[in-house]
Amino acid sequence: GFWFLDTQILAPESDGGEYHDMTGHISKYIGDWKLEKKKHWEWLEKSLKKNQNIMYKFIFGHFPVVSSGAYIGRDGMEPIIKLMDDYDVTAYISGHDHNAQHAMILRDGFWVNQFICGATIDHGTYEEENAEHNIGVREHIYPTFFSDKLSFLKFDIDEKKEECTVSFVSDKGKEMYNYVLEYAEREK
């Protein structure tokens, strides 16, 4: 299953009710964004609970939970880790950082796979932006792949083998990295 989050609501730019819209402009959020944020989390949890028996569950959002890139991560996204643990979510996929990353995040004994696919279009060089990336272990974050080269994500799900291969593919079609996500239904 696939869930798409509006991370602009979940992790707004400020508590003053302003947020960046999809064009990057600061806009006034109409209504009570804190209420909208609460409703968004409730919707996600209810939907994940309703679909617990789906083999693979992927959550997509613009902002990463954490990052080894220039943006580090986003306050307000941490609750997703608990939901991923509670409902056996396979991976979280985001953009925002202008690079490609796979990180494994350890929280309370549960591993979260996060893939950042933010290098899909050439806006020029991001070398300066990505120069400070931290590829080492930091606060229970274990980056396994980082690249600032143009790339895309590809998912190959093999239900017979009960595994899903996630690959970063270059703009030339060459596989740069792959990781096999094995299905492991856990007893609750």
Side-chain angles (χ1 to χ4, degrees):
F2 301 96
W3 285 262
F4 296 86
L5 299 180
D6 185 346
T7 56
Q8 303 290 64
I9 291 172
L10 297 178
E13 289 296 317
S14 73
D15 286 351
E18 291 183 339
Y19 76 105
H20 284 113
D21 65 18
M22 294 309 289
T23 64
H25 296 97
I26 295 177
S27 302
K28 243 345 187 183
Y29 187 79
I30 299 171
D32 182 350
W33 71 265
K34 289 180 182 178
L35 177 61
E36 292 301 317
K37 178 179 178 174
K38 182 179 184 264
K39 288 179 4 186
H40 208 56
W41 283 124
E42 287 171 352
W43 162 82
L44 178 61
E45 183 165 19
K46 182 179 178 181
S47 182
L48 288 170
K49 187 175 187 175
K50 179 180 176 184
N51 294 285
Q52 286 185 77
N53 53 349
I54 292 175
M55 183 180 284
Y56 290 103
K57 299 177 207 82
F58 298 96
I59 298 176
F60 293 80
H62 176 74
F63 295 128
V65 176
V66 296
S67 174
S68 292
Y71 297 110
I72 301 172
R74 193 77 173 193
D75 289 341
M77 293 299 295
E78 282 288 323
I80 203 162
I81 294 173
K82 179 164 179 10
L83 288 176
M84 290 178 72
D85 181 18
D86 290 348
Y87 298 103
D88 296 321
V89 174
T90 310
Y92 180 76
I93 298 94
S94 72
H96 192 64
D97 273 4
H98 300 144
N99 51 54
Q101 298 180 46
H102 173 217
M104 296 177 70
I105 306 162
L106 178 61
R107 291 287 194 276
D108 301 321
F110 177 72
W111 288 97
V112 173
N113 280 288
Q114 176 184 258
F115 296 90
I116 298 175
C117 184
T120 58
I121 190 166
D122 188 3
H123 284 296
T125 180
Y126 292 107
E127 289 175 17
E128 185 176 308
E129 181 179 301
N130 292 319
E132 298 293 320
H133 81 272
N134 179 358
I135 200 68
V137 174
R138 173 177 113 253
E139 298 178 38
H140 308 290
I141 303 164
Y142 301 84
T144 60
F145 176 75
F146 185 100
S147 175
D148 61 359
K149 307 295 181 219
L150 289 175
S151 57
F152 302 87
L153 268 180
K154 178 178 87 169
F155 296 84
D156 290 315
I157 297 174
D158 186 332
E159 290 187 35
K160 289 181 183 176
K161 289 184 181 178
E162 294 187 342
E163 64 184 31
C164 171
T165 303
V166 181
S167 306
F168 281 99
V169 179
S170 76
D171 62 330
K172 308 287 189 239
K174 183 178 177 185
E175 187 174 279
M176 301 165 54
Y177 171 83
N178 73 51
Y179 184 81
V180 176
L181 299 164
E182 295 179 6
Y183 175 67
E185 187 172 21
R186 295 180 296 150
E187 295 288 325
K188 290 285 182 192

